[in-house]
Amino acid sequence: MSIRLTFHGAAGCVTGSCAELETEAGRVLIDCGMFQGPKTLKALNYRDFPFDPATIDAVLLTHAHLDHSGLLPKLVKAGFKGPIYATAATRDLCGVMLRDAGDIQENEVRRLNRRNQRRGLPEVEPIYTARDGEKTTKAFAKVKLNAPAQVLPGLTATYWEAGHILGAASVEVRVSGEQGDTTSLFSGDIGAGGREYAADPEGPSGVDHLVLESTYGDRDRLRMTPDARRDFLAEEINQAYAAGGPLLIPTFAVERAQEIIADLQILMQANRIPEADIFLDSPLAIEATEVFRERGYNRQTGRNPFEGLRAGGRLTFLRRPAESDRLDRLRGWHIIMAGSGMCEAGRIRKHLKRLLWRRETTVFLPGFQAAGTLGRFLQEGAERVSIQGDEVRVRARIVSLDVYSGHADAAGLAEWAQARGPVAGKVFLNHGEPVALAALKDRLAQSGFEEGQLVIPEMDAAFELTGPQAVPLGASASRIAAGAASRADWHNARAALNLALNAALAEAPDDAAREALIASLAARLAEARPTG
C-alpha cells in the first residue's frame, strides 16, 4: 500500500505549515497554517486551497501558533467537517487565538476598504471572521501525549512532547497495511530544551520517514541556563533604562509574552533592574496568559511558573483600544509589550510609529523575524521604515533577544533528529528559509545521515511513500515563483524606493536639483511603461 505525502506550506519558507497524507482510507492534514511575511506570500492565504477541503477527513494539529493553525477557520468555512486532533492546551490556546485572528482580519479589512473606497478600488473580504474562528474550536478532538489515537481505519496518530510552546507536540503517524506499517514523524516546531517554562522535546526512534523543521538550521546559539538568560535580560534592561526609556517589546502573544513578564517580575523583585510599569497591550496575550495560569504545569520541573502572572501592581492589562491609546501620553521609563512579534499587525505598529524616531527608545525583538516583515527590516538595521503608509526614521536602539527563542538551534535539531534514528527512509526538511534548509542538510549529512536521505521539498511537491521508499511525484502548478516565499518582494521594494526617494529629495542641495531628480525618474518610468 502506498501513501501520498504533499507539502502545501512551510516549503522554502518558515510559515504556512501544512502537509497532506493520503491513504486508501482517506486524507489527513498535518497543520493548516497561515502564511506570514512578504505580501506575495501572504496572498496565498486569500487563494483557494490546493485541495478540496470537503475531502479532508481530519487535521492533526501540532500546536497553536498561527503559522500552524491560522487557516483552520478558512478550512472549516470551505467545507471541512472532520475532527481537529490536538492536545488540550493547544485546543484552549486556539480558542482565543483563532477568534482573535478573525477579529484582527475584520478590523484590518475594514480600514483597507475605507482606503479602497477613497481610491475607487473594489472592497475585499476578510479570510475569515472572529465568529468563524470561534466556530472552528468546536471541531477539536482532544488527544493525550504518548497515547495512540485512531484517526482513520489503519491510521493512528501519537503525539509526543515537542518542548516548543504550551501544548506543542510532534506527531507520529502510523499507517498499517497488508505488507506492514509505515511510520512518518512530523516534528512540528522543536524546542531548545533545558527551559523552566517548557518540557524537553521527546519522540520515538526507528521511524520510516521524518519531516523536520529547520527554522534555525543555519545557526548555533549560546545555550543559556535560566539564570544566565535573566542575566542577559537584566543587562539589556539596564541599558534601556539608561537611555531614558521607554522599552517597547513586539510580543508573540503565546508563551514569549508570558516568559518575558515572568522574568521581568523576578528581576524587579530581586532589585536587579529598575522598577517599571509593564503594560501588556495585547488582548490575545492577556487571554493566553489565563490559559498558561491554568495549564502551565511543567511535569519535568513539577511546578507552574506562570501561576503568579496577573494584572495588579506593576503589571497592567490593556484590553480596550482606548486604554491602549492612552499610552501615547506616557513619558520616561516604562515597558510596553504589544502584538505582533514580527511587527506585522496589531497594536505594536502604532507604538513603533510613535516611538521609533526617539533616541531614548529601545525595541526588543524577542524571536525569529521572517523575511519581508517589518521586524526583519528593523533587525537588519533599516534607517527608515514605512508603517501604515507613513515614513518613520529609526533612531531607537534595536536589540534581538534570541535567548527567548522557542526553537532549537541547528545543533539541537541535529541531535533531536539523530535520536529518532534509525530513519529508514527520507528526512524531509521544511519550515525554514533556503539558507537554513541548506545548512541543516549539510549538518545532518556530516552527523551520519546519508546524502540521498535528505530532501528539501518545494511548495506543493508530492511523494509516494511505500515503507522506507519515497518516490518524488513532482508538484502541481506552482502557486508562487521559486524562491519568492523567502525573500522581500516588489511591495517591499516599492516601499524602499519611496523611502530612498524621500531621503534623496531631502538631501538635494536646492529645488533645481530636486526637479532634475524627479524629471529623470519620470523619464525612466515613461521608458519602462509598455506601449500599444
Side-chain angles (χ1 to χ4, degrees), residues 234-245 333 362 397:
E235 181 178 347
E236 294 294 346
I237 291 284
N238 286 317
Q239 288 188 47
Y241 176 75
W333 174 240
T362 301
R397 185 170 70 101

Side-chain angles (χ1 to χ4, degrees), residues 112-418:
L112 175 60
N113 282 337
R114 284 198 292 268
R115 293 198 300 270
N116 284 350
Q117 286 178 341
R118 291 194 294 268
R119 298 167 179 169
L121 298 175
E123 293 190 356
V124 298
E125 294 288 333
I127 304 169
Y128 56 85
T129 65
R131 180 173 294 182
D132 294 325
E134 192 167 352
K135 176 182 176 182
T136 299
T137 58
K138 297 176 181 178
F140 276 65
K142 185 176 71 173
V143 296
K144 293 183 178 180
L145 294 178
N146 309 330
Q150 189 75 43
V151 177
L152 295 174
L155 189 153
T156 61
T158 304
Y159 281 57
W160 298 84
E161 175 65 62
H164 175 54
I165 65 166
L166 186 66
S170 302
V171 182
E172 176 191 6
V173 181
R174 182 177 297 272
V175 179
S176 301
E178 295 180 357
Q179 299 181 1
D181 296 349
T182 298
T183 57
S184 301
L185 177 62
F186 297 82
S187 71
D189 287 350
I190 298 298
R195 299 162 62 204
E196 59 193 334
Y197 299 132
D200 290 346
E202 300 172 347
S205 58
V207 299
D208 288 311
H209 304 285
L210 175 62
V211 179
L212 178 61
E213 68 114 332
S214 313
T215 309
Y216 283 108
D218 60 337
R219 69 198 76 174
D220 291 325
R221 292 195 305 267
L222 182 64
R223 299 194 180 187
M224 289 187 172
T225 64
D227 287 339
R229 182 191 67 240
R230 282 189 279 269
D231 289 344
F232 176 85
L233 179 63
E235 181 178 347
E236 294 294 346
I237 291 284
N238 286 317
Q239 288 188 47
Y241 176 75
L247 171 61
L248 184 57
I249 307 177
T251 185
F252 294 92
V254 175
E255 192 135 323
R256 204 69 45 83
Q258 292 76 29
E259 288 180 349
I260 294 175
I261 291 171
D263 276 357
L264 288 172
Q265 291 183 337
I266 289 171
L267 291 172
M268 286 186 194
Q269 291 165 5
N271 296 317
R272 297 186 57 198
I273 62 173
E275 289 281 332
D277 290 320
I278 305 169
F279 299 95
L280 185 57
D281 191 17
S282 166
L284 173 57
I286 293 167
E287 290 193 65
T289 298
E290 296 306 312
V291 176
F292 275 77
R293 288 182 59 205
E294 179 180 349
R295 293 196 175 274
Y297 177 80
N298 185 336
R299 57 190 173 86
Q300 292 183 357
T301 63
R303 69 186 189 92
N304 181 351
F306 304 107
E307 284 180 334
L309 299 188
R310 56 173 59 86
R314 288 290 194 172
L315 177 61
T316 301
F317 289 167
L318 304 181
R319 290 182 170 86
R320 297 188 299 274
E323 295 173 320
S324 174
D325 292 341
R326 284 197 286 270
L327 296 180
D328 295 359
R329 307 170 191 168
L330 293 181
R331 295 293 181 268
W333 174 240
H334 57 279
I335 300 172
I336 299 173
M337 303 177 65
S340 64
M342 295 185 193
C343 310
E344 283 297 280
R347 298 178 182 178
I348 190 62
R349 294 176 73 85
K350 71 172 183 178
H351 294 306
L352 287 167
K353 192 185 216 180
R354 179 172 62 89
L355 296 172
L356 269 178
W357 62 272
R358 292 166 53 180
R359 294 186 187 278
E360 67 270 26
T361 300
T362 301
V363 178
F364 283 177
L365 298 174
F368 185 82
Q369 306 296 315
T373 62
L374 176 57
R376 182 69 161 261
F377 292 128
L378 292 173
Q379 188 179 61
E380 292 177 345
E383 296 181 357
R384 287 180 170 83
V385 294
S386 178
I387 303 177
Q388 297 171 335
D390 291 336
E391 179 180 335
V392 181
R393 184 172 179 183
V394 182
R395 287 194 176 104
R397 185 170 70 101
I398 310 297
V399 179
S400 289
L401 285 184
D402 219 14
V403 294
Y404 282 94
S405 176
H407 289 268
D409 63 3
L413 290 170
E415 290 169 7
W416 187 85
Q418 287 174 311

Side-chain angles (χ1 to χ4, degrees), residues 16-52:
S17 180
C18 182
E20 178 188 347
L21 271 181
E22 182 178 1
T23 74
E24 293 178 355
R27 306 166 73 191
V28 299
L29 296 183
I30 297 85
D31 290 341
C32 190
M34 182 173 285
F35 291 99
Q36 299 165 313
K39 289 185 178 180
T40 299
L41 182 61
K42 290 192 291 188
L44 296 180
N45 296 324
Y46 292 87
R47 293 174 55 179
D48 291 340
F49 287 108
F51 50 81
D52 180 359

